[in-house]
Amino acid sequence: MASMKKQRLYLSLMLVMVMLALSPHEASAEVPYMTNSKDSNGDLIWTQPAYKPVRIVGSGLTVPDKDKPGNKVASPMLNPKDLFIDEHDVMYVADTGNNRIAEFDPEGKLQRFITVPDSPLNKPEGIFVTAQGDIYVADTGNKRVVRLTSEGKLLQEYKKPDSPIIPSTYIYDPVKLAVDKRGYLYIVTLGGYQGLLELAPDGKVQSFFGSNQTRLGVLDKVKRLLYTKQMYDNEVSKLPVSISSVTMDANGLLYTTSSGDISRNQVKKLNFRGDNLLKGGSAGKSGNKVFGEVSHFERNESGGKGFIKPQLADLTVDRFGNITVIDKQYKVLSQYDANGDLLYFWGGLSADSATQLGLMKSPIAIASSSNGDLFVLDDQEGIIQQFRLTEFGALVNKANAMTLQGRYAESESAWQEVLRINVFFAPALRGLGKAAYQQGNYEQAKTYFYEGGSKKGYSNAFWQIRYAWFQAHFSTLATSALIAATAWILINRLTLYTRWGKAWRSRPKSTHSVRVQLRHIFTIIRHPIDGFTAIRHERKGSYLSAFFLLSLAFGAVMIFGLYSSYLFNPVNPQRLNLILLFTEFASIWLGWVLCHYFVSSILQGEGRFKDVFIASSYVLLPLAIVGIPLAILSNGMTLSEKPIYSFLFNGMVIWIVLLVIWNIQSIQNYTFGETMVNIGATAAAFLLAALLIFILYGLSGDLVSFLNEIYEEVRFR
């Protein structure tokens, strides 16, 4: 026993040593936070710091003392809301609480405060400076945008425009803005769900730009379908989420962040038509992209529990095209490449009692300098923190820049060095995949894309491999198919009138009950209503055949999860727990059968439990008939054939649904209307039963803990 304990102790020590050896010591030694990334499966991985904090800008600010000339008094930034860095690395801060703009030189030294004495600012929240030196301020408290000269003199003001495009209920409270090279303004207004307000240089309204889509739940869609127009108009309006910030890159493309109740497309890269260019990304993930890498399940302000979503307050685009966003909720910076694919994220909450370099209390704005450094504005502390690229971050940027420019071969050595530092870094694997693909090494490219989680790249590489294979083997395949077809025709012709051929065709059919029941599968396929009726009235089924069909259906589900192509399989086969899969399959199917039987008994159904059990097993036939061949065929498909795959998969689902309807209608002797009522009641009963089981499971855990505590207390007394 003692030796076993020693072995466990030694094993634990070895594991700790291995983890320490593999962990990025730089992160703990040089910076006060961990830098994280995600692998191809979306799992969190530690990586070397990409940025390190170097200094704080904006602390110890002073202004001349009005009462004592020659002296100065402290004048810290108060609740600043925006930060902008121009092409000369001069920093401008919208010092909201002090009604001024603070200007710092590239070394972080205060140059001046801009206050516009002729028309004082009132709680300015946004700042933008053009290449010509014109300063645009979102003067929120005055409900206007002002254009200033580089000396801070008022040139123009943009108040609420009068236009038929502007709704009468529109509230014009500018909070952020960007200005393009033509002088057109793109203004974020507080709560403006219509999108960015686009104004011409003369202040005329052009359009609303880049708005978010209305987020409708299932209940809202049902209401739209069933309610009259008057009834739906009386409902509380569902409005799109408003934009929280806007910035512009060197090419004139606009980027926006959105916060609030939104889980996808929180960051957008907009072209001149307002289309989002970040959907999908180079990794080739289907659907809309998700930004903000931290989300916790905890109690919210209303007392309930749920996922507290990220709140993306601002973003910046550096000279490499990387997009860095601020999550104000979790005090985290997340950086993505130009395609919106995650590079890494880092940060954390600063202590309340002190200012900690690298950690933040309330990050509200971010900007990048010409050399790629990041500057983060903290509105609670009234300071700016500067983050500088590390060697690792610079290496990733160098490799990624060459990849985005199409210089794949040149990027290979840089990506190899990144991969040497962090073998799980997914962007490096995708970069190497692109390099291998350009060089025609499609097998290696396919491997890299698979390990890097790029389905789009994997599909392209596999298409090339498949094309080359067909070119090399087409003549053999065509000849084999022709020989097989000819042989089949000849054999049928030659054996048509022979004695043994006639004997084979007229052989007596087996009367064995199990074989008869299994042959009933073909009846269900051809004539489902007659087939289910025969199960009820002609006993064309047994528990043995039902269990056989259930085993076949579970086998199909297992094959689907284990052997479907990586391009179409939503589950990682390496993580597929067959015991858990069987438990889920059996629980759902048996739960449905029991609920359906009890509901049918109440609703005067004629089916016995045996009939319901056996017939419900035949309902799963499409899983084996379509699912297994589809899983096998998917391994020869690329994303180009996704419509074919989706058609077959959706056809299988529709076939199962139809079999459920015909099964209930035939077994219970219902009309179609009664069948639909039964299905709805069964679904409700199933959900209620699942909820009760979940509650009982939770209570049983508490009960066991309670009894265990009583036992321990009695035992020690």
Side-chain angles (χ1 to χ4, degrees), residues 358-386:
L359 300 178
M360 297 157 283
K361 288 187 175 70
S362 180
I364 192 65
I366 186 170
S368 55
S369 63
S370 59
N371 65 352
D373 285 1
L374 297 175
F375 294 79
V376 180
L377 178 66
D378 192 313
D379 66 343
Q380 183 173 329
E381 297 200 275
I383 58 170
I384 303 167
Q385 295 209 38
Q386 180 179 355

Side-chain angles (χ1 to χ4, degrees), residues 147-401:
R147 177 186 170 205
L148 311 175
T149 65
S150 57
E151 291 77 25
K153 295 182 179 180
L154 181 64
L155 280 177
Q156 191 176 0
E157 56 179 1
Y158 301 84
K159 293 187 176 181
K160 182 178 180 179
D162 184 16
S163 170
I165 298 176
I166 305 293
S168 58
T169 56
Y170 184 72
I171 299 174
Y172 184 68
D173 288 335
V175 290
K176 294 289 192 305
L177 77 162
V179 183
D180 66 17
K181 294 178 181 179
R182 305 170 300 164
Y184 279 70
L185 290 78
Y186 301 87
I187 303 170
V188 177
T189 56
L190 187 63
Y193 62 86
Q194 297 91 345
L196 300 171
L197 177 62
E198 183 183 0
L199 299 182
D202 59 2
K204 291 184 179 179
V205 176
Q206 300 300 299
S207 65
F208 285 105
F209 192 79
S211 63
N212 292 309
Q213 292 183 344
T214 304
R215 183 176 175 271
L216 295 178
V218 176
L219 184 60
D220 299 297
K221 293 177 182 178
V222 172
K223 287 180 179 179
R224 272 193 170 185
L225 183 66
L226 300 179
Y227 282 20
T228 63
K229 185 178 184 303
Q230 184 177 1
M231 293 170 64
Y232 193 78
D233 289 343
N234 292 331
E235 290 284 308
V236 177
S237 298
K238 278 277 187 179
L239 301 177
V241 172
S242 60
I243 293 171
S244 60
S245 184
V246 61
T247 193
M248 183 177 292
D249 67 9
N251 298 317
L253 293 175
L254 289 169
Y255 298 73
T256 64
T257 59
S258 301
S259 59
D261 189 18
I262 184 171
S263 56
R264 293 181 180 274
N265 293 331
Q266 305 98 319
V267 176
K268 290 182 177 180
K269 179 180 181 179
L270 304 171
N271 62 12
F272 69 96
R273 295 187 303 180
D275 299 326
N276 182 16
L277 303 179
L278 294 182
K279 289 186 177 181
S282 67
K285 306 290 186 183
S286 60
N288 300 328
K289 292 190 70 64
V290 177
F291 296 87
E293 304 306 318
V294 182
S295 181
H296 289 165
F297 188 80
E298 57 187 48
R299 191 173 298 279
N300 54 33
E301 295 177 357
S302 60
K305 287 187 176 181
F307 280 101
I308 307 301
K309 296 177 182 177
Q311 297 292 321
L312 305 187
D314 195 18
L315 81 166
T316 186
V317 182
D318 62 26
R319 66 187 182 92
F320 305 103
N322 297 326
I323 306 163
T324 309
V325 300
I326 291 176
D327 179 0
K328 188 178 180 181
Q329 176 71 38
Y330 295 106
K331 329 306 179 195
V332 169
L333 305 179
S334 302
Q335 188 168 95
Y336 307 85
D337 67 15
N339 294 309
D341 296 322
L342 176 69
L343 294 175
Y344 14 67
F345 60 99
W346 70 96
L349 178 63
S350 174
D352 291 333
S353 58
T355 298
Q356 293 178 272
L357 183 62
L359 300 178
M360 297 157 283
K361 288 187 175 70
S362 180
I364 192 65
I366 186 170
S368 55
S369 63
S370 59
N371 65 352
D373 285 1
L374 297 175
F375 294 79
V376 180
L377 178 66
D378 192 313
D379 66 343
Q380 183 173 329
E381 297 200 275
I383 58 170
I384 303 167
Q385 295 209 38
Q386 180 179 355
F387 293 83
R388 180 157 294 161
L389 272 170
T390 63
E391 290 184 12
F392 177 73
L395 183 61
V396 170
N397 283 344
K398 175 185 174 183
N400 208 29

